[in-house]
Amino acid sequence: MERFQKADDISRLKEAFHRVFTKSDPFGNPFQKTLNERVLIFPTNGYYLQENQFHALMKTMEQVGQGTFYVSESEGDSFTLSQDFFSELAPHHWGSENTIAYEDYQSIPLVVENSLYSPHGEWGLQVSHEDHAILAGTSTFIDAFKEAYPEWEEDKEKFLQHWREVNKEFSADSTWIHDFLKQF
């Protein structure tokens, strides 16, 4: 895992990020129109994928011939080039190979919403602070992911059940869910 701290590297990551995402919004539809296949993943392990979810993503990358990926803290404006990228307060960005161990992935200090994405724009995933992630990709990529992660079919129902309980117990605003789920 390599942390990027130079403006040239951040500029390159920003370009890759925008090949996949139109914005950072794991509660909406943040993906470019070219990535029209989507999967809801729930629950995550806070700001991290669960181990089986992570392994499914790495296996999928390997199957489609993608060896590297980026991880960016994507909450807020994480690609402002005027920042001091050596500051601990600056958004962090990393690059990794798909052979990374789950423990090494969990050692990345992710404390805000974040994105994992392809350098070439073929797939992307955003992890929310509400324990869900959204994945989009090409048909080939998503088909391979669904095969590697068969739990995807249950995740949408688990997500809905969770928000029913949250709404019942806390009267939380869940009006966003109906529009959010249309993309899946």
Side-chain angles (χ1 to χ4, degrees):
M1 178 78 37
E2 174 189 5
R3 181 169 171 210
F4 297 110
Q5 295 179 287
K6 295 179 181 170
D8 288 348
D9 293 331
I10 304 305
S11 183
R12 183 170 39 89
L13 267 68
K14 181 178 181 177
E15 288 176 17
F17 183 88
H18 287 292
R19 279 187 215 109
V20 175
F21 305 105
T22 59
K23 59 188 171 185
S24 179
D25 180 13
F27 297 93
N29 184 350
F31 300 104
Q32 295 290 348
K33 292 186 188 329
T34 56
L35 301 178
N36 55 7
E37 298 289 327
R38 315 267 164 81
V39 176
L40 173 64
I41 300 169
F42 181 84
T44 58
N45 185 14
Y47 289 116
Y48 300 89
L49 295 173
Q50 292 183 18
E51 188 168 7
N52 62 332
Q53 297 162 345
F54 178 78
H55 288 304
L57 182 62
M58 296 302 108
K59 181 179 180 180
T60 301
M61 287 178 56
E62 181 180 355
Q63 283 183 319
V64 300
Q66 300 222 348
T68 61
F69 66 101
Y70 298 137
V71 178
S72 291
E73 292 180 329
S74 51
E75 192 170 318
D77 187 5
S78 60
F79 295 102
T80 300
L81 297 178
S82 62
Q83 300 181 73
D84 173 7
F85 290 107
F86 291 96
S87 165
E88 286 304 310
L89 300 176
H92 297 149
H93 306 273
W94 299 268
S96 182
E97 300 294 320
N98 67 3
T99 55
I100 183 174
Y102 182 69
E103 294 75 22
D104 293 333
Y105 162 68
Q106 282 195 306
S107 72
I108 302 170
L110 297 171
V111 295
V112 295
E113 293 174 346
N114 60 85
S115 301
L116 286 71
Y117 53 104
S118 161
H120 308 291
E122 287 130 344
W123 65 272
L125 178 141
Q126 289 190 353
V127 181
S128 83
H129 68 272
E130 291 287 358
D131 297 332
H132 73 267
I134 52 177
L135 172 67
T138 63
S139 295
T140 301
F141 190 90
I142 296 300
D143 288 346
F145 179 79
K146 287 177 176 178
E147 187 175 312
Y149 181 68
E151 297 90 338
W152 72 270
E153 292 185 273
E154 302 165 11
D155 284 4
K156 186 174 177 181
E157 185 54 42
K158 288 189 283 187
F159 175 84
L160 284 167
Q161 183 59 34
H162 168 77
W163 279 100
R164 281 185 207 111
E165 291 171 11
V166 167
N167 191 29
K168 183 178 176 182
E169 190 169 337
F170 301 107
S171 298
D173 178 17
S174 58
T175 57
W176 60 275
I177 293 173
H178 177 72
D179 287 338
F180 171 74
L181 291 175
K182 287 180 184 178
Q183 67 185 304
F184 301 104

